[in-house]
């Protein structure tokens, strides 16, 4: 292949990977592979002098496809040139003073304030046109709605979801295939929601990293102590109430040790990052250097040179799920990476597996993306002899390859697949669904194998098998009685939890609540809703609407739903006429006594018009904690911000007022 053809091929491959990552929240190659191909393309463009109009070296960001309003940026949002060498940073900085900061891995957002009020928020989009997310930005945990400065202010920052929140959200999702892949994808979806209630629940944080322009006059700069340096800008933004990216002043002599300090902190750093950013502290000097077609010359990105280890692929496991998707997982001889032992890495889908040319016994290199997530970097031997299973590892029935948006994935089409059954049953009994304790995945597997469970409705007739269940290993009379009591309790359930329990593709509990509320808790209307009616609901797009519509048009599924309806009854979601807590923001921590759990207390607050968030901020009105005198981090934060700390008794009195 000649150089021009290779150049075209690289553009196509990289654009396809970018589209999958930014628009479809999926991966068809690792970050390491993308960077390698990108660098090859860059070198070819430099050598041949040919730069195609659709080359990723001259285009930035994702194409805007959602239903959010679009808006042009006042100035183009360029990406940064990058390096993986500390020596290159030293050369770039020269004898100038620099500012080194985290390069956060989220979604870039531009905020505009007028007369001290947040009036506009726009995503990066394709660098020239973004999506308007003003209502969503107002729910970010730490974004000030008002600031002291009353002039026009436009700033940029990164919206992120912390690892602790990401793990909390994923831990609440029972089914493996429904879990989010990484904080960046979760953040991207959260920030661009059509329903800002969903955004609020995701605990999105915002960290400012630059001002779009010199918005202050010389007089104003003097008055507020704002000078022509990056450090002064950061300090001024902090005075306005913004959290800013953590940053340090560096010189050519100190930058290496500062980079090492950042690197050592990555394993315990709660905010996702994918490198560092080095900028000239002298803003005027940086601007005088101008820009290229894609990069500004006042800053450069530093990407971690990921530690890699060579190992041998011992097998690829194929993990079936309740949706039929069968995920490949690479299993290899254990290696040490970034201080931990690693022996497994997700391959995500068949497209990635094929691109790597994998075969058992191949020598592969592995690394931790951003020093955290295990990935296969490269296949050194590329035997390419790995067979894609023709039969499902769970049920033995035929599998099929599906091509969705250019990404190949393996599926089992057998509706009676045991994996689908087990995962489906597990989802049905999970905490946020029917909440039946005592039916772990292992227990369900035993019950299915022994023929006690064939359909979901059989759960409500397990008393037929009392003698057999009591005699099972790990079971006894007490366990059986507890299980039956939990099953009886589950017969009274909210309509939203029941709909969520059915495992409709893409429909989470939040979606179910929105749909139930829209149709006034009328189950018949819900099941007969047309796609266009569903799409009209905030937060329900065409894909979800089709999945929901198709589910309730399936005769077999409707028979199962009808059978379940004979066993349960819906509790009415009472809506208080007096929204006494309207506009009030609460945070709940610690154990509760007057409510069965914190979710019940949360539901009660929401019924009275209040809102519950996950962390204490200046937007919080009350912290509820029965241990009002503890030195917990939330109590400390509340005291710092003069936020009242209420016991449950205090809260109950407040709710009666």
């Amino acid at each position: 292949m000649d150089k021009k053809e290779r150049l075209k091929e690289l553009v196509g491959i990289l654009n396809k990977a970018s589209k999958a990552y930014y628009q479809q929240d999926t991966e068809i190659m690792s970050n390491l592979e993308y960077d390698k191909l990108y660098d090859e393309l860059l070198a070819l463009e430099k050598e041949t002098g040919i730069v195609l109009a659709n080359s990723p070296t001259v285009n930035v960001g994702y194409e805007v496809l959602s239903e959010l309003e679009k808006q042009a940026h006042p100035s183009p949002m360029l990406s940064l040139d990058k390096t993986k060498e500390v020596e290159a940073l030293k050369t770039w900085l020269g004898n100038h003073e620099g500012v080194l900061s985290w390069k956060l891995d989220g979604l870039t957002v531009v905020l505009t304030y007028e007369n001290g009020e947040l009036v506009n928020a726009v995503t990066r989009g394709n660098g020239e046109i973004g999506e308007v997310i003003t209502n969503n930005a107002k729910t970010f945990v730490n974004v000030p709605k008002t600031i002291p400065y009353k002039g026009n202010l436009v700033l940029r920052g990164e919206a992120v979801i912390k690892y602790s929140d990401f793990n909390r959200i994923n831990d609440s999702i029972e089914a493996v295939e429904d879990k989010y892949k990484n904080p960046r994808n979760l953040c991207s979806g959260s920030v661009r929601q059509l329903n800002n209630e969903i955004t609020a629940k995701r605990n999105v944080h915002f960290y400012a990293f630059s001002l779009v322009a010199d918005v202050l006059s010389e007089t104003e700069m003097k008055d507020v102590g704002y000078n022509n340096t990056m450090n002064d800008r950061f300090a001024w933004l902090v005075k306005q109430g913004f959290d800013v990216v953590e940053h340090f002043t560096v010189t050519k002599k100190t930058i290496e040790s500062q980079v090492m300090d950042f690197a050592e902190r990555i394993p315990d750093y709660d905010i996702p990052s994918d490198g560092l950013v080095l900028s000239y502290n002298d803003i005027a000097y940086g601007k005088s250097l101008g820009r290229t077609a894609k990069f500004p010359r006042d800053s450069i990105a530093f990407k971690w040179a990921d530690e890699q280890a060579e190992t041998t692929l011992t097998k690829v496991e194929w993990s079936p799920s309740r949706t039929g998707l069968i995920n490949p997982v690479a299993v290899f001889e254990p290696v040490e990476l970034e201080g931990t032992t690693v022996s497994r890495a997700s391959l995500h889908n068949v497209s990635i597996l094929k691109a790597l040319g994998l075969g058992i016994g191949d020598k592969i290199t592995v690394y931790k993306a951003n020093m955290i997530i295990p990935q296969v970097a490269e296949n050194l031997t590329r035997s390419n002899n790995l067979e894609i299973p023709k039969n499902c590892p769970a049920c033995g029935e035929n599998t099929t390859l599906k091509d969705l948006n250019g990404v190949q994935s393996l599926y089992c089409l057998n509706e009676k697949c045991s994996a689908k059954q087990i995962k489906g049953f597990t989802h049905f009994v999970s905490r946020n669904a029917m909440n039946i304790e005592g039916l772990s995945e292992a227990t369900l597997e035993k019950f299915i194998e022994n023929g006690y469970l064939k359909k979901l409705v059989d759960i409500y007739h397990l008393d037929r098998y009392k003698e057999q269940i009591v005699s099972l290993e790990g079971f006894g009379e007490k366990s059986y009685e507890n299980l039956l009591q939990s099953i009886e309790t589950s017969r009274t359930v909210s309509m939203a939890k029941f709909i969520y329990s059915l495992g409709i593709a893409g429909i989470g509990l939040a979606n179910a609540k929105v749909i139930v509320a829209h149709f006034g808790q009328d189950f018949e209307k819900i099941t007969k809703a047309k796609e266009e009616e569903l799409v009209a609901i905030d937060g329900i797009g065409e894909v979800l609407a089709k999945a929901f519509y198709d589910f309730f048009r399936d005769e077999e599924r409707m028979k199962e739903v009808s059978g379940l309806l004979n066993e349960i009854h819906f509790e009415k979601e009472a809506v208080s006429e007096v929204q006494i807590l309207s506009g009030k923001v609460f945070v709940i921590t610690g154990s509760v006594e007057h409510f069965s759990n914190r979710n019940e207390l949360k539901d009660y607050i929401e019924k009275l018009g209040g809102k519950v968030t996950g962390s204490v901020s200046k937007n919080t009105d009350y912290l509820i904690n029965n241990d009002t005198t503890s030195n917990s981090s939330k109590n400390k934060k509340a005291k710092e911000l003069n936020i009242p700390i209420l016991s449950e008794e205090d809260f109950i009195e407040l709710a009666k007022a």
Side-chain angles (χ1 to χ4, degrees), residues 310-356:
E310 187 176 317
T311 184
T312 301
L313 183 72
T314 56
K315 64 178 175 177
V316 169
E317 290 181 353
W318 295 87
S319 177
S321 69
R322 68 180 174 85
T323 62
L325 177 65
I326 305 174
N327 290 305
V329 178
V331 182
F332 42 83
E333 291 178 359
V335 290
E336 289 289 317
L337 283 176
E338 313 292 354
T340 61
T341 302
V342 179
S343 61
R344 299 167 63 85
S346 173
L347 294 167
H348 302 293
N349 51 59
V350 175
S351 289
I352 287 182
L353 182 145
K354 286 183 174 180
L356 287 166

Side-chain angles (χ1 to χ4, degrees), residues 496-542:
K497 287 191 173 184
F498 176 71
I499 289 172
Y500 171 64
S501 77
L502 298 175
I504 304 169
I507 301 295
L509 183 56
N511 302 127
K513 285 181 176 179
V514 170
I515 292 169
V516 168
H518 180 82
F519 290 102
Q521 301 186 59
D522 187 323
F523 193 73
E524 187 175 357
K525 281 185 179 178
I526 290 169
T527 59
K528 292 182 177 178
K530 296 178 180 177
E531 287 185 61
E532 53 266 32
E533 292 179 275
L534 292 162
V535 171
I537 302 171
D538 278 351
I540 306 297
E542 291 180 6

Side-chain angles (χ1 to χ4, degrees), residues 1-11 13-14 29 31-51 55-57 82 378:
M1 183 183 297
D2 66 23
K3 291 176 181 177
K4 185 177 178 181
E5 288 303 309
R6 176 58 175 166
L7 190 142
K8 288 179 180 177
E9 182 183 50
L10 287 170
V11 168
I13 293 170
L14 291 169
M29 66 173 63
N31 289 340
L32 202 70
E33 179 68 8
Y34 183 92
D35 287 345
K36 181 181 174 184
L37 295 178
Y38 184 94
D39 290 342
E40 183 186 347
L41 173 62
L42 205 60
L44 268 177
E45 288 178 341
K46 187 175 181 181
E47 182 182 346
T48 62
I50 300 169
V51 180
S55 170
T57 66
K82 63 183 184 297
E378 193 175 1

Side-chain angles (χ1 to χ4, degrees), residues 100-326:
L100 191 65
S101 62
W102 290 109
K103 184 176 182 292
L104 301 184
D105 191 17
L107 194 70
T108 302
V109 174
V110 183
L111 302 181
T112 300
Y113 288 77
E114 291 176 1
N115 197 31
E117 298 284 336
L118 175 60
V119 296
N120 197 35
V122 186
T123 66
R124 175 182 184 166
N126 63 9
E128 295 184 358
I129 298 174
E131 297 156 310
V132 179
I133 55 156
T134 311
N135 288 336
N136 293 348
K138 289 179 179 178
T139 71
F140 292 177
V141 173
N142 60 341
V143 163
K145 293 185 179 69
T146 61
I147 59 173
Y149 177 63
K150 301 306 176 188
N152 179 265
L153 177 68
V154 184
L155 70 150
R156 292 174 184 162
E158 199 80 356
V160 297
I161 289 179
K162 295 182 178 180
Y163 284 113
S164 53
D165 289 315
F166 172 75
N167 292 332
R168 171 182 57 79
I169 291 167
N170 259 356
D171 287 345
S172 70
I173 300 171
E174 301 285 342
V176 173
E177 69 274 13
D178 289 341
K179 292 179 184 288
Y180 296 98
K181 291 175 184 170
N182 55 57
R184 188 221 160 268
N185 283 7
L186 175 58
C187 183
S188 176
S190 301
V191 168
R192 298 159 67 198
Q193 284 287 331
L194 298 179
N195 178 0
N196 70 350
E197 182 183 2
I198 297 172
T199 308
K201 290 177 180 176
R202 301 283 174 79
N203 235 24
V204 179
H205 286 71
F206 176 85
Y207 294 91
F209 56 69
S210 73
L211 291 173
V212 172
D214 291 316
V215 294
L216 303 182
S217 67
E218 288 186 15
T219 304
E220 286 174 321
M221 281 193 268
K222 188 177 290 185
D223 290 343
V224 298
Y226 171 107
N227 294 314
N228 188 41
T229 67
M230 288 289 293
N231 280 329
D232 283 324
R233 282 192 173 186
F234 278 132
W236 185 77
L237 285 169
V238 169
K239 286 181 182 178
Q240 302 307 307
F242 296 100
D243 287 335
V244 300
V245 291
E246 188 179 9
H247 57 282
F248 296 92
T249 306
V250 293
T251 63
K252 186 162 63 173
K253 291 182 179 179
T254 64
I255 191 168
E256 187 167 1
S257 63
Q258 192 60 64
V259 169
M260 291 301 297
D261 181 65
F262 274 115
E264 288 169 4
R265 293 168 53 204
I266 284 176
D268 300 316
Y269 196 56
D270 198 25
I271 304 173
S273 69
D274 58 356
L276 305 172
V277 174
L278 177 62
S279 304
Y280 292 113
N281 195 24
D282 186 329
I283 293 168
Y285 173 74
K287 287 195 169 185
S288 72
L289 300 175
R291 47 169 276 193
T292 67
K294 186 177 179 182
F295 306 123
R297 290 195 172 102
D298 60 353
S299 300
I300 187 172
F302 175 78
K303 303 278 283 184
W304 303 111
D306 301 291
E307 180 186 346
Q308 294 189 34
E310 187 176 317
T311 184
T312 301
L313 183 72
T314 56
K315 64 178 175 177
V316 169
E317 290 181 353
W318 295 87
S319 177
S321 69
R322 68 180 174 85
T323 62
L325 177 65
I326 305 174

Side-chain angles (χ1 to χ4, degrees), residues 118 156 159 164 195 227 381 395 426 459 461 476 633 652:
L118 175 60
R156 292 174 184 162
S164 53
N195 178 0
N227 294 314
T381 44
C395 69
T426 302
I459 288 173
H461 301 288
S633 59
I652 290 167

